Amino acid sequence: MPELTDRIADIVGRLDAVVFDQWGVLHNGSTAYAGAADALHTLHRQGKKLAVLSNSGKRADANRDRIAAMGLPAELFDLVMTSGEAFWQDCQSGRVVMGRVFPITAKPGDFETWRGPLPIREAGDVLEANSVLLMGLPEGSDGSTEASVLKTARSCGLPLYCTNPDRGSPRAGGAIQLSPGALAHAYQDAGGEVTFYGKPHLPVFDALTDALGTDPAKILMVGDSLEHDIAGGASAGWQTAFVMGGLHADAFVDADAQAALERLAAAHASPLPDYMISHLASPGA
């Protein structure tokens, strides 16, 4: 059974590196969680390598800036890796050739910022495209507008690249925002061709293991998604710590923590984590 702990300090002594998910662990999309900055400073003083591994369609630098803007000490991270960054690198290297792409994004300008100098052509209409890039959804979106576009894309046989496999993301007040992965899985279930970038898919974990230059067994993945963080970290041979106060917080209200976790793991076909913690808090607290 997973070890229930109140302090990260109790479990990091045997480890070299700690990798954090963003939403539901470090912040809620707008505000850093209490204790998160203290935890990062303490781990850094203990000599641990720190990294972020996020299912964000945006590039790594944009996410480092977002973390810093919330008052978190982004300079302490040895590496920030996102699914959007991994996809950009594959496009740059030629491993992925999308042709004329129709992007679906959270905000206007997100695609242009992500693309940068890449020679990728943007289609003004999905009917003019030969691929679709699903990066994000507008805040508050129920996905209906995007689902309609994707229905047309699927009828045209267009391949879909999804750079945020999350199905939902925590927000302030316990709300859960629909995320691109939900639409991408529906596209796939309906017979569409989908390529996912990010957690739980093994390549992004292997790339981060190589970049950190340490034994996979000495890396801790701290996340709130059993489907993405815990299953992906376990498949990479990492240690895993599940944050109960994030994406699945409602499942632990007035419930036995171990029993609730077992039910969730079964529902998501996920292995159990090595550790459980309520929220990310200062290791010295």
Side-chain angles (χ1 to χ4, degrees):
M1 292 297 296
E3 178 182 333
L4 182 62
T5 182
D6 294 324
R7 304 190 314 157
I8 287 185
D10 293 337
I11 60 178
V12 299
R14 304 180 295 274
L15 302 170
D16 293 337
V18 184
V19 179
F20 297 92
D21 177 40
Q22 280 197 78
W23 283 266
V25 176
L26 295 174
H27 60 74
N28 62 16
S30 56
T31 306
Y33 290 129
D38 288 343
L40 296 173
H41 279 294
T42 303
L43 291 168
H44 180 72
R45 287 195 296 269
Q46 292 177 345
K48 307 302 177 184
K49 294 180 179 179
L50 303 179
V52 168
L53 180 56
S54 178
N55 279 355
S56 167
K58 295 181 179 180
R59 295 195 61 194
D61 284 349
N63 278 272
R64 188 183 288 273
D65 291 344
R66 172 162 44 197
I67 291 167
M70 293 183 191
L72 291 165
E75 70 278 4
L76 301 185
F77 291 114
D78 295 87
L79 184 66
V80 173
M81 174 57 71
T82 67
S83 45
E85 179 71 29
F87 184 65
W88 190 92
Q89 291 178 4
D90 273 2
C91 291
Q92 182 190 46
S93 70
R95 284 191 290 270
V96 173
V97 179
M98 289 189 295
R100 193 169 180 85
V101 62
F102 183 82
I104 297 176
T105 63
K107 296 178 181 178
D110 279 355
F111 173 73
E112 291 79 4
T113 300
W114 172 86
R115 178 177 57 185
L118 293 179
I120 297 175
R121 294 173 296 157
E122 179 180 0
D125 187 277
V126 70
L127 294 174
E128 301 171 357
N130 51 28
S131 63
V132 177
L133 174 59
L134 178 53
M135 294 178 60
L137 300 177
E139 194 69 22
S141 170
D142 64 1
S144 57
T145 299
E146 295 78 13
S148 178
V149 172
L150 290 176
K151 183 178 180 180
T152 301
R154 183 168 50 80
S155 69
C156 296
L158 301 186
L160 172 67
Y161 296 91
C162 177
T163 55
N164 183 345
D166 287 352
R167 300 174 191 258
S169 181
R171 291 296 188 268
I176 301 297
Q177 168 68 45
L178 182 74
S179 292
L183 298 185
H185 280 282
Y187 194 89
Q188 186 177 62
D189 291 344
E193 177 188 342
V194 180
T195 300
F196 290 97
Y197 271 74
K199 300 173 291 186
H201 306 282
L202 194 56
V204 73
F205 287 90
D206 288 344
L208 193 49
T209 298
D210 291 342
L212 289 170
T214 191
D215 181 351
K218 292 188 176 182
I219 302 174
L220 178 70
M221 177 77 228
V222 183
D224 68 329
S225 170
L226 289 164
E227 180 183 5
H228 300 107
D229 303 315
I230 304 307
S235 70
W238 295 7
Q239 300 270 320
T240 59
F242 176 69
V243 177
M244 293 179 283
L247 181 64
H248 299 294
D250 287 349
F252 294 91
V253 176
D254 298 325
D256 176 80
Q258 295 281 6
L261 180 63
E262 288 185 3
R263 288 193 294 269
L264 281 172
H268 292 273
S270 168
L272 291 171
D274 297 293
Y275 306 98
M276 301 167 62
I277 189 167
S278 177
H279 296 87
L280 180 64
S282 172

